[in-house]
């Protein structure tokens, strides 16, 4: 793999959680794989007062914080830690940016990074405008000696209006080519594999359309709650936190047309076309397309779990959704009339993300299946996490007299490829940005388009408090009312389990 050009990475919000949990471990993993350039350094910037030495100690305080695969890497850690520097600044106020400019200039000289620099915004989003303006005023967005890029973390806005405003502001300071808007789902190996599965196999692509697909189901379930992020989550909710970005990205990968080539512009154009084709949700009958829920307390196997409203940082009257299920249609030639059911939730029975293509039944029914069904429930399951892999379900004759038929699974697990290591999403995304490849980052127009899909729902909820938010006990598959979105007899959501080949209502509790 090509090693990126010499460069400096400047992380804003360096004393925060994301830097410690994701960014530094990802950079350290790249260092261990010898994928960092020869002339390289990291400058952390934060409000917490720390020396560079204290910053290094903070990041490597726990033995496992430096590497996912080998905690005993002290020699490498020492060398890597030497590349880390820290600058504490008051309040990201205008006066800070001349200090930042001077520090960058010192490090560029010391490490001979050639003027190439990535700025990573890992701060609360409220600071994005102030930081980028400060960088711009100090001339730090100009690409004179080398290139300058900026990575913007999610959430990208809280509504269509705020996303447009943020895009506009960023484009006043940087050009679109310099902007890398991160959606960590796109960095997941198995998410990228959706394109390979579709476009490198002659057997799937001919079936991938309204003639053969009955419906598509996308689930991103989590079995944890808000995990100390109550203050943030209560203002955001599942639709903004997971659907506007991650789930709609998954929809685009399932639904997009083959790009003319595996090249950033071609892929991102196809992504945008899908989002533009999503039929606006009919808000006058919102309950037929969107169901929201919030977890309530429950006791699972003798352990009591608290409700969302009992979590720290959450208002006891909160009406924030921790679960949302939607039925969408994509009005284009390929997908006309095929429903896309998508759902996500916290405190569900298991942690699983998967895409399921449900195929249409055979036109003529010859065999009798279990439970009186007459057709195989043909599904192609693309498992994003955990137990990453692919599974195909189809009907088989049971041995013996007559034609008793049952569904069986044919499955492939990534874990079975012995040499396969699935790198953490941030590793891939950081490396791509360091190499100047924006393919797996969201383009401004696509982000705005995805807000156009969810914004009417958010506004309708806000203006109509009578629209129900259904309770569901911790450890269940969300409110029963979500079943009504699938208005076909004998059809339900899938109930996946931790293992790709298992499914069933409560198999993971
Ligand atoms: C984040 C959300 O973007 O994605 C979190 O803010 C969520 O609430 C997380 O838990 C899920 O990511 P993953 O990679 O664990 O599926």
């Amino acid at each position: 793999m090509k090693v990126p050009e010499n460069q400096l990475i400047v992380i804003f919000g360096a004393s925060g959680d994301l830097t410690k949990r994701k960014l530094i471990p990802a950079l350290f993993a790249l260092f261990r794989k010898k994928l960092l350039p020869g002339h390289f350094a990291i400058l952390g910037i934060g409000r917490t007062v720390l020396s560079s030495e204290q910053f290094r100690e903070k990041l490597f305080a726990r033995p496992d914080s430096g590497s996912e695969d080998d905690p005993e890497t002290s020699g490498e850690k020492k060398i890597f830690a030497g590349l880390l520097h820290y600058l504490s600044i008051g309040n990201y106020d205008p006066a800070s940016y001349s200090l930042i400019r001077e520090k960058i200039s010192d490090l560029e000289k010391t490490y001979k990074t050639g003027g190439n620099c990535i700025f990573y915004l890992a701060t609360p989003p409220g600071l994005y405008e102030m930081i980028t303006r400060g960088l711009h005023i100090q001339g730090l967005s100009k690409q004179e000696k080398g290139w300058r890029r900026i990575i913007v973390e999610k959430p990208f806005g809280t509504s269509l209006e705020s996303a447009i405003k943020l895009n506009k502001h960023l484009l006043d300071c940087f050009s679109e080519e310099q902007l890398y808007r991160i959606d960590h789902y796109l960095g997941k190996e198995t998410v990228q594999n959706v394109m390979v599965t579709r476009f490198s196999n002659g057997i799937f692509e001919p079936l991938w359309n309204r003639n053969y697909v009955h419906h598509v189901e996308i689930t991103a379930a989590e079995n944890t709650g808000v995990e100390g992020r109550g203050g943030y989550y209560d203002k955001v909710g599942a639709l903004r936190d997971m659907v506007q970005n991650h789930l709609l990205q998954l929809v685009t990968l399932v639904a997009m047309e083959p790009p003319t080539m595996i090249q950033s512009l071609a892929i991102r154009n196809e992504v945008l076309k899908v989002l533009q084709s999503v039929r606006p949700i009919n808000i006058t009958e919102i309950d037929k397309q969107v169901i929201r829920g919030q977890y309530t307390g429950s006791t699972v196997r003798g352990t009591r779990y608290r409700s969302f409203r009992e979590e720290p940082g959450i208002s006891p009257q909160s009406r924030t959704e921790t679960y949302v299920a939607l039925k969408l249609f994509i009005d284009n030639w390929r997908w006309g009339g095929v429903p896309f059911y998508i759902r996500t939730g916290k405190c569900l029975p298991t942690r699983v993300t998967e895409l399921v293509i449900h195929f249409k039944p055979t036109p003529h029914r010859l065999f009798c299946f279990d439970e009186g069904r007459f057709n195989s429930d043909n599904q192609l399951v693309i498992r994003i996490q955990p137990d990453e892999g692919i599974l195909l379900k189809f009907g088989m004759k049971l041995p013996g007299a007559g034609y008793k038929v049952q569904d069986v699974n044919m499955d492939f697990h990534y874990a079975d490829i012995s040499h396969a290591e699935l790198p953490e999403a941030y590793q891939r995304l950081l490396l791509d940005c360091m190499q100047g490849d924006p393919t797996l980052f969201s383009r401004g127009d696509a982000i705005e388009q995805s807000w156009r899909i969810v914004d009417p729902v958010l506004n309708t909820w806000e203006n109509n408090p009578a629209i129900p938010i259904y309770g569901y006990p911790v450890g269940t598959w969300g409110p029963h009312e979500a079943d009504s979105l699938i208005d076909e007899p004998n059809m339900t959501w899938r109930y996946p389990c931790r293992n790709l080949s298992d499914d069933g209502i409560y198999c993971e509790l």
Side-chain angles (χ1 to χ4, degrees), residues 154 184-185 188 222 229 241-242 246 346 351 385:
K154 68 159 281 241
H184 79 277
Y185 261 59
K188 291 180 192 277
E222 295 183 273
R229 295 161 74 221
D241 188 48
M242 291 291 289
H246 309 323
K346 301 247 181 229
R351 174 176 182 258
Q385 62 190 21

Side-chain angles (χ1 to χ4, degrees), residues 30-100:
L30 293 174
F31 173 78
R32 295 190 64 214
K33 291 177 186 166
K34 308 209 180 328
L35 287 171
L36 293 186
H39 295 269
F40 177 77
I42 299 168
L43 171 62
I45 294 178
R47 285 188 278 211
T48 313
V49 180
L50 294 172
S51 65
S52 289
E53 199 43 51
Q54 287 167 323
F55 178 54
R56 292 172 195 140
E57 276 164 23
K58 180 176 148 64
L59 293 177
F60 290 112
R62 281 180 296 118
D64 63 348
S65 60
S67 157
E68 308 158 327
D69 14 79
D70 181 10
E72 302 303 321
T73 50
S74 53
E76 287 171 313
K77 265 185 200 167
K78 227 185 221 159
I79 303 171
F80 178 75
L83 304 172
L84 296 170
H85 299 265
Y86 186 81
L87 177 70
S88 41
I89 52 163
N91 208 10
Y92 292 99
D93 52 327
S96 314
Y97 299 92
S98 54
L99 281 181
I100 295 174

Side-chain angles (χ1 to χ4, degrees), residues 146-435:
W147 47 254
R148 301 284 155 119
R149 297 176 189 141
I150 181 157
I151 303 183
V152 185
E153 259 296 332
K154 68 159 281 241
F156 196 94
T158 52
S159 61
L160 174 61
E161 193 188 346
S162 59
I164 292 176
K165 185 167 167 272
L166 179 57
N167 263 333
K168 190 173 169 323
H169 167 81
L170 292 173
L171 290 168
D172 285 344
C173 304
F174 291 85
S175 65
E176 179 66 40
E177 295 65 48
Q178 291 176 285
L179 283 169
Y180 288 71
R181 301 170 190 82
I182 214 162
D183 180 330
H184 79 277
Y185 261 59
L186 287 178
K188 291 180 192 277
E189 193 66 29
T190 38
V191 170
Q192 294 149 39
N193 194 40
V194 177
M195 269 201 291
V196 178
T197 305
R198 288 191 53 195
F199 303 136
S200 74
N201 294 296
I203 54 171
F204 295 128
E205 186 52 21
L207 307 181
W208 214 270
N209 56 53
R210 68 184 186 292
N211 295 325
Y212 297 97
V213 175
H214 186 273
H215 66 279
V216 175
E217 187 178 344
I218 301 181
T219 297
E222 295 183 273
N223 55 0
T224 47
V226 286
E227 295 187 301
R229 295 161 74 221
Y232 156 80
Y233 196 88
D234 202 16
K235 291 193 213 89
V236 173
L239 191 63
R240 288 189 179 96
D241 188 48
M242 291 291 289
V243 176
Q244 177 271 326
N245 38 58
H246 309 323
L247 266 75
L248 286 177
Q249 286 290 356
L250 297 180
V251 169
T252 63
L253 291 174
V254 173
M256 70 195 261
E257 292 304 313
T260 46
M261 58 185 93
I262 292 301
Q263 190 244 31
S264 156
L265 181 69
I267 294 176
R268 290 163 124 204
N269 285 346
E270 295 306 334
V271 164
L272 177 66
K273 272 159 52 185
V274 175
L275 295 169
Q276 287 170 332
S277 313
V278 173
R279 186 188 302 168
I281 290 167
N282 179 2
I283 50 162
T284 54
E285 289 192 304
I286 196 166
D287 55 323
K288 295 214 169 99
Q289 276 190 269
V290 189
I291 296 291
R292 58 177 171 165
Q294 187 188 81
Y295 61 85
T296 57
S298 82
T299 301
V300 181
R301 292 209 181 121
T303 306
R304 152 98 193 142
Y305 291 90
R306 59 186 167 207
S307 68
F308 180 65
R309 292 178 183 179
E310 290 165 320
E311 299 269 17
I314 306 293
S315 148
Q317 283 84 40
S318 173
R319 288 180 59 77
T320 301
E321 78 288 357
T322 59
Y323 171 99
V324 64
L326 295 97
K327 178 181 189 174
L328 299 175
F329 288 95
I330 297 174
D331 285 338
N332 65 16
W333 201 274
R334 184 185 285 267
W335 294 113
V338 177
F340 279 63
Y341 298 102
I342 68 179
R343 65 178 165 169
T344 182
K346 301 247 181 229
C347 287
L348 301 185
T350 189
R351 174 176 182 258
V352 62
T353 304
E354 64 175 29
L355 319 170
V356 187
I357 312 297
H358 294 259
F359 292 96
K360 286 186 175 169
T362 54
H364 182 52
R365 299 166 172 189
L366 291 172
F367 304 108
C368 184
F369 276 68
D370 290 348
E371 306 129 27
R373 283 186 294 118
F374 288 96
N375 277 108
S376 168
D377 190 6
N378 289 143
Q379 299 172 9
L380 180 73
V381 182
I382 303 182
R383 180 59 81 95
I384 306 295
Q385 62 190 21
D387 193 8
E388 293 82 359
I390 293 194
L391 176 140
L392 185 65
K393 272 184 190 291
F394 53 94
M396 272 281 137
K397 179 184 176 303
L398 286 176
Y403 284 96
K404 204 160 167 17
V405 185
Q406 116 182 354
D407 276 330
V408 294
N409 294 333
M410 194 159 77
D411 49 344
F412 157 75
H413 304 255
Y414 264 89
D416 296 342
I417 316 181
S418 55
H419 61 272
E421 181 233 2
L422 296 185
E424 223 276 326
Y426 277 93
Q427 267 182 58
R428 170 67 198 259
L429 294 172
L430 277 162
L431 187 60
D432 279 4
C433 178
M434 292 168 85
Q435 297 189 324

